[in-house]
Coordinates of all heavy atoms in Angstrom, one line a residue:
A141 N 26.1 -21.9 -33.0 CA 25.7 -23.3 -33.1 C 24.3 -23.5 -32.8 O 23.6 -24.3 -33.5 CB 26.6 -24.2 -32.1
F142 N 23.7 -22.8 -31.8 CA 22.3 -23.0 -31.5 C 21.4 -22.4 -32.6 O 20.4 -22.9 -33.0 CB 21.9 -22.3 -30.2 CG 22.9 -22.7 -29.1 CD1 23.4 -21.7 -28.3 CD2 23.1 -24.0 -28.9 CE1 24.3 -22.0 -27.3 CE2 24.0 -24.3 -27.8 CZ 24.6 -23.4 -27.0
V145 N 21.4 -24.9 -35.3 CA 20.5 -26.1 -34.9 C 19.0 -25.7 -35.2 O 18.2 -26.5 -35.7 CB 20.7 -26.5 -33.4 CG1 19.6 -27.4 -33.0 CG2 22.1 -27.1 -33.2
G146 N 18.6 -24.5 -34.8 CA 17.2 -24.1 -35.1 C 16.9 -24.0 -36.6 O 15.9 -24.5 -37.0
A147 N 17.9 -23.5 -37.4 CA 17.6 -23.4 -38.8 C 17.5 -24.7 -39.5 O 16.6 -25.0 -40.2 CB 18.7 -22.5 -39.4
Y148 N 18.5 -25.6 -39.2 CA 18.5 -26.9 -39.8 C 17.3 -27.8 -39.2 O 16.8 -28.6 -40.0 CB 19.8 -27.7 -39.5 CG 20.8 -27.3 -40.6 CD1 21.7 -26.2 -40.5 CD2 21.0 -28.1 -41.8 CE1 22.6 -25.8 -41.5 CE2 21.9 -27.8 -42.7 CZ 22.7 -26.7 -42.6 OH 23.6 -26.3 -43.6
S149 N 16.9 -27.6 -38.0 CA 15.8 -28.3 -37.4 C 14.6 -28.0 -38.2 O 13.8 -28.9 -38.6 CB 15.6 -28.0 -36.0 OG 16.7 -28.4 -35.2
Y150 N 14.3 -26.7 -38.4 CA 13.1 -26.3 -39.2 C 13.2 -26.9 -40.6 O 12.2 -27.4 -41.1 CB 13.0 -24.8 -39.2 CG 11.9 -24.3 -40.2 CD1 10.6 -24.7 -40.0 CD2 12.3 -23.6 -41.3 CE1 9.6 -24.3 -41.0 CE2 11.3 -23.2 -42.3 CZ 10.0 -23.6 -42.1 OH 9.1 -23.2 -43.0
L152 N 14.8 -29.4 -41.9 CA 14.7 -30.9 -42.1 C 13.3 -31.4 -41.7 O 12.7 -32.3 -42.3 CB 15.7 -31.6 -41.2 CG 17.2 -31.3 -41.6 CD1 18.2 -31.9 -40.6 CD2 17.4 -31.9 -43.0
L153 N 12.7 -30.8 -40.6 CA 11.4 -31.2 -40.2 C 10.3 -30.8 -41.2 O 9.4 -31.6 -41.5 CB 11.0 -30.5 -38.9 CG 11.7 -31.1 -37.6 CD1 11.4 -30.2 -36.4 CD2 11.3 -32.5 -37.3
C164 N 6.9 -26.4 -36.6 CA 8.3 -26.5 -36.5 C 9.0 -25.5 -35.6 O 10.0 -25.8 -35.0 CB 8.9 -26.4 -37.9 SG 8.5 -27.7 -39.0
L165 N 8.3 -24.3 -35.5 CA 9.0 -23.3 -34.6 C 9.2 -23.7 -33.2 O 10.4 -23.6 -32.7 CB 8.1 -22.0 -34.7 CG 8.7 -20.8 -33.9 CD1 10.0 -20.2 -34.6 CD2 7.6 -19.7 -33.9
P166 N 8.2 -24.1 -32.5 CA 8.5 -24.6 -31.1 C 9.4 -25.8 -31.0 O 10.2 -25.9 -30.1 CB 7.1 -24.9 -30.5 CG 6.3 -25.1 -31.7 CD 6.8 -24.3 -32.8
L167 N 9.3 -26.7 -32.0 CA 10.1 -27.9 -32.0 C 11.6 -27.5 -32.2 O 12.5 -28.0 -31.6 CB 9.7 -28.9 -33.1 CG 8.3 -29.5 -32.9 CD1 8.0 -30.4 -34.2 CD2 8.3 -30.3 -31.6
A168 N 11.8 -26.5 -33.1 CA 13.2 -26.1 -33.3 C 13.8 -25.4 -32.1 O 15.0 -25.6 -31.7 CB 13.3 -25.1 -34.5
G169 N 12.9 -24.7 -31.4 CA 13.4 -24.0 -30.1 C 13.7 -25.1 -29.1 O 14.7 -25.0 -28.4
L170 N 12.9 -26.1 -29.0 CA 13.1 -27.2 -28.0 C 14.4 -28.0 -28.3 O 15.2 -28.3 -27.4 CB 11.9 -28.1 -27.9 CG 10.7 -27.5 -27.3 CD1 9.5 -28.5 -27.4 CD2 10.9 -27.1 -25.8
L171 N 14.6 -28.3 -29.6 CA 15.8 -29.0 -30.0 C 17.0 -28.2 -29.7 O 18.1 -28.7 -29.2 CB 15.7 -29.4 -31.5 CG 14.7 -30.4 -31.8 CD1 14.6 -30.6 -33.3 CD2 15.2 -31.8 -31.2
A172 N 17.0 -26.9 -30.0 CA 18.1 -26.0 -29.7 C 18.4 -25.9 -28.2 O 19.5 -25.9 -27.7 CB 17.9 -24.6 -30.3
A173 N 17.3 -25.8 -27.4 CA 17.5 -25.8 -25.9 C 18.1 -27.1 -25.4 O 19.0 -27.1 -24.6 CB 16.1 -25.6 -25.3
A174 N 17.7 -28.2 -26.0 CA 18.3 -29.5 -25.6 C 19.8 -29.6 -26.0 O 20.6 -30.0 -25.2 CB 17.6 -30.7 -26.3
F175 N 20.1 -29.0 -27.2 CA 21.5 -29.0 -27.6 C 22.3 -28.0 -26.7 O 23.4 -28.2 -26.4 CB 21.6 -28.5 -29.0 CG 23.0 -28.6 -29.6 CD1 23.5 -29.8 -30.0 CD2 23.7 -27.4 -29.7 CE1 24.8 -29.8 -30.5 CE2 25.0 -27.5 -30.2 CZ 25.6 -28.7 -30.6
G176 N 21.6 -26.9 -26.2 CA 22.3 -26.0 -25.3 C 22.6 -26.7 -24.0 O 23.7 -26.5 -23.4
M177 N 21.8 -27.6 -23.5 CA 22.1 -28.3 -22.3 C 23.2 -29.3 -22.5 O 24.1 -29.5 -21.7 CB 20.9 -29.1 -21.8 CG 19.7 -28.2 -21.4 SD 18.3 -29.0 -20.7 CE 18.9 -29.5 -19.1
V178 N 23.2 -30.0 -23.7 CA 24.3 -30.8 -24.1 C 25.6 -30.1 -24.1 O 26.7 -30.5 -23.6 CB 24.1 -31.6 -25.4 CG1 25.3 -32.3 -25.9 CG2 22.8 -32.4 -25.3
A313 N 20.4 -23.3 -21.8 CA 19.1 -23.8 -22.5 C 18.2 -22.7 -22.9 O 17.7 -22.7 -24.0 CB 18.4 -24.8 -21.6
A316 N 19.8 -20.7 -25.8 CA 19.8 -21.5 -27.0 C 18.4 -21.6 -27.6 O 18.2 -21.7 -28.8 CB 20.3 -22.9 -26.7
M317 N 17.4 -21.7 -26.7 CA 16.0 -21.8 -27.2 C 15.6 -20.5 -28.1 O 15.1 -20.7 -29.2 CB 15.0 -21.9 -26.1 CG 13.6 -22.0 -26.5 SD 12.5 -22.0 -25.1 CE 12.7 -20.4 -24.4
A319 N 17.8 -18.6 -29.6 CA 18.6 -18.7 -30.9 C 18.0 -19.7 -31.8 O 18.0 -19.5 -33.1 CB 20.0 -19.2 -30.5
G320 N 17.4 -20.8 -31.3 CA 16.7 -21.7 -32.2 C 15.4 -21.1 -32.9 O 15.2 -21.4 -34.1
F321 N 14.7 -20.3 -32.1 CA 13.6 -19.6 -32.8 C 14.1 -18.7 -33.9 O 13.5 -18.6 -35.0 CB 12.8 -18.7 -31.7 CG 12.1 -19.5 -30.7 CD1 11.8 -19.0 -29.5 CD2 11.6 -20.8 -31.0 CE1 11.2 -19.8 -28.5 CE2 10.9 -21.6 -30.1 CZ 10.7 -21.0 -28.8
S324 N 15.1 -20.7 -36.9 CA 13.9 -21.1 -37.7 C 13.4 -20.0 -38.6 O 13.1 -20.2 -39.8 CB 12.8 -21.5 -36.8 OG 13.1 -22.7 -36.1

Side-chain angles (χ1 to χ4, degrees):
F142 311 131
V145 169
Y148 273 87
S149 297
Y150 167 64
L152 293 174
L153 288 172
C164 294
L165 180 68
L167 293 178
L170 291 175
L171 288 172
F175 187 78
M177 296 184 71
V178 172
M317 180 181 67
F321 292 153
S324 294

